[in-house]
Amino acid sequence: MNRIAVSISRGIARVTDVALGPYQTAVIRIGFAATWLLFLLREFPHRQEMYGPDGPWKWDLAQRLVADNHAFTILMWSDSQVWFETVYTLAVLSALLLLVGWRTRTMSVLFMVGVLSLQNRSIFMGDGGDNVIHLMAIYLVFTRCGQVWSLDARRARLAREARARGDLPRAGTQDRVGLVLWAALGLLLAAATGAGRLSPGWLMIFWGLWAVQALWWAVGRLARAAEPRILLDVIANAVHNAALLVIMAEACLIYATAGWYKIQGSRWQDGTAVYYPLHLDYFSPWPALSDLLASHGTIVMLVTYGTVAVQVAFPFTLINRRVKNVLLAVMMTEHAVIAVVLGLPFFSLAMIAADAVFLPTSFLRRLGGWAARARGRLFPPGARKLPGQRAQGPRTPEPAEDPHVGFTA
């Protein structure tokens, strides 16, 4: 019984003491924000036909659909062109700011609002990649995805260095940008609430997130003892780790269901399922390349059976790290090939971003080191020297991430 109690206590401490997978959640944040941002920019000339009030899916049809499925979309608050352009711009800006990790807690919520608003306005415009982005945008709200590789992490590091030097900010000057952003969003939320635009469920979610921001700031600035901040850290870590587990389970569920449904199809059973999309004009951006692949029956059969085998087997390989890494590399390569051969870049980017949750931490740290060295070569420290300032050497890798970064305003 003592061994069981010790094991349980260690497990609880592991889940609550630290937010697990900081590099994995950062890659997910960057991957999905970049995918959505590139999609919105790519479809900017066609935004009216896809999501605008004058698109094929008319306003009255969208109203009837939303009233039936109770989907969340702020695009249905008004049918004016100005409101549509405002929402589309909000979606672009929130994706960009989430990508660079500026105020990740707030931007993750705005990112979710932008994704849900556009996709739920015209649900027949999406594909499997859009469904993945739809789900992950919700899960990201509950993660501390700005711990590393973000402007939030950089701001926290600079604050730690300033405290180490004894350069403490004056009272009342801490994080003015966060306070202004929090107050502005509170006014907008109050206006939407007063106009009756939000359902009771979404009212509880948005006001709850807004109140958590206020509580986090108040405890960090006003609490004299450390216990309230420790308690908030414990809760935030537990929520983050639960959301990370859901993201991993969702990725496994996607591959498991896709694999088992493929097994039931006759074309996947006889090894010809890959052959037919290669002859569809919609999935042939490079006809010569598609014809070349389709002309080799053995390659088509191996790719067909290999796809099914990898998707069915992947969830079971998580118990073996080496086998999991091999299949992970195979799946990412397969999605890259799909992006080129079948012309589905955003679907492939979304799936690769979802797969990134299983990447080893050691590999991600090396990847970050390579990116830092590349940035150092492109932008040497001496080139950024201010007048009268001494040139500095290359910065050392960032220290351990600040556990408080993810809940900044």
Side-chain angles (χ1 to χ4, degrees):
M1 293 299 297
N2 288 337
R3 293 195 191 99
I4 295 175
V6 171
S7 300
I8 294 175
S9 63
R10 288 179 178 175
I12 294 175
R14 176 67 172 168
V15 171
T16 58
D17 284 352
V18 65
L20 302 175
Y23 292 94
Q24 285 79 3
T25 50
V27 170
I28 293 174
R29 183 199 83 232
I30 295 171
F32 282 104
T35 301
W36 183 242
L37 176 62
L38 292 174
F39 173 78
L40 294 179
L41 295 178
R42 168 62 180 81
E43 301 299 339
F44 186 81
H46 314 290
R47 66 191 185 281
Q48 297 291 341
E49 292 80 7
M50 298 180 64
Y51 306 112
D54 298 328
W57 189 248
K58 297 297 184 179
W59 172 262
D60 55 343
L61 293 176
Q63 279 188 318
R64 291 167 59 185
L65 180 63
V66 171
D68 182 60
N69 60 15
H70 305 287
F72 172 81
T73 169
I74 63 175
L75 272 180
M76 303 309 299
W77 292 1
S78 173
D79 60 349
S80 68
Q81 184 64 30
V82 175
W83 179 245
F84 167 73
E85 298 293 349
T86 301
V87 175
Y88 200 93
T89 304
L90 170 68
V92 173
L93 290 178
S94 62
L96 176 61
L97 294 177
L98 184 65
L99 173 65
V100 299
W102 187 81
R103 308 289 170 173
T104 52
R105 178 57 52 198
T106 300
M107 290 306 119
S108 64
V109 177
L110 296 180
F111 178 76
M112 178 190 69
V113 171
V115 170
L116 298 185
S117 297
L118 292 176
Q119 290 188 354
N120 290 336
R121 166 63 175 85
S122 301
I123 62 173
F124 302 107
M125 293 291 181
D127 55 19
D130 294 291
N131 293 336
V132 175
I133 296 175
H134 191 106
L135 294 172
M136 296 301 175
I138 299 175
Y139 301 152
L140 276 175
V141 173
F142 301 97
T143 63
R144 310 182 79 171
C145 54
Q147 294 177 299
V148 296
W149 299 345
S150 67
L151 295 181
D152 284 347
R154 179 179 180 273
R155 186 173 68 251
R157 176 177 57 81
L158 294 177
R160 287 195 301 268
E161 294 175 355
R163 288 195 297 267
R165 296 192 304 266
D167 299 335
L168 299 177
R170 291 178 299 174
T173 62
Q174 302 100 327
D175 201 13
R176 288 180 175 176
V177 176
L179 286 174
V180 171
L181 185 61
W182 175 81
L185 292 177
L187 291 176
L188 293 176
L189 187 57
T193 303
R197 298 294 187 179
L198 296 172
S199 64
W202 286 107
L203 277 176
M204 293 179 59
I205 292 174
F206 288 130
W207 279 116
L209 293 173
W210 188 81
V212 166
Q213 291 285 74
L215 177 63
W216 194 271
W217 182 89
V219 170
R221 299 298 187 273
L222 306 177
R224 299 182 180 275
E227 287 78 7
R229 189 62 186 246
I230 294 175
L231 176 60
L232 291 182
D233 269 330
V234 168
I235 297 174
N237 290 336
V239 172
H240 166 93
N241 295 329
L244 184 60
L245 178 62
V246 171
I247 291 174
M248 297 172 67
E250 185 69 39
C252 292
L253 184 63
I254 291 173
Y255 283 115
T257 53
W260 286 106
Y261 272 112
K262 286 182 175 65
I263 290 177
Q264 303 175 38
S266 60
R267 300 304 180 189
W268 291 96
Q269 293 175 6
D270 59 28
T272 61
V274 176
Y275 175 82
Y276 294 98
L278 296 175
H279 289 79
L280 297 176
D281 293 338
Y282 185 79
F283 295 109
S284 299
W286 315 99
L289 180 59
S290 299
D291 293 340
L292 177 63
L293 293 176
S295 62
H296 294 79
T298 303
I299 295 179
V300 171
M301 182 189 66
L302 292 177
V303 172
T304 303
Y305 287 148
T307 299
V308 176
V310 169
Q311 290 183 347
V312 172
F314 178 73
F316 300 100
T317 62
L318 298 181
I319 59 177
N320 189 299
R321 183 180 60 182
R322 295 181 179 178
V323 178
K324 180 263 296 182
N325 291 339
V326 172
L327 289 188
L328 192 61
V330 172
M331 290 192 303
M332 288 185 168
T333 303
E334 180 184 15
H335 288 306
V337 173
I338 290 174
V340 176
V341 177
L342 299 182
L344 298 172
F346 301 111
F347 166 79
S348 299
L349 285 175
M351 294 307 303
I352 291 174
D355 295 340
V357 71
F358 299 105
L359 288 174
T361 301
S362 57
F363 170 76
L364 293 176
R365 292 177 68 92
R366 287 197 299 270
L367 184 64
W370 297 336
R373 287 192 291 271
R375 182 184 61 184
R377 294 190 184 98
L378 292 176
F379 306 100
R384 301 191 298 270
K385 184 180 67 173
L386 298 176
Q389 182 184 19
R390 296 181 180 179
Q392 299 178 354
R395 287 181 176 174
T396 57
E398 292 185 359
E401 58 274 6
D402 190 336
H404 303 155
V405 169
F407 271 76
T408 54

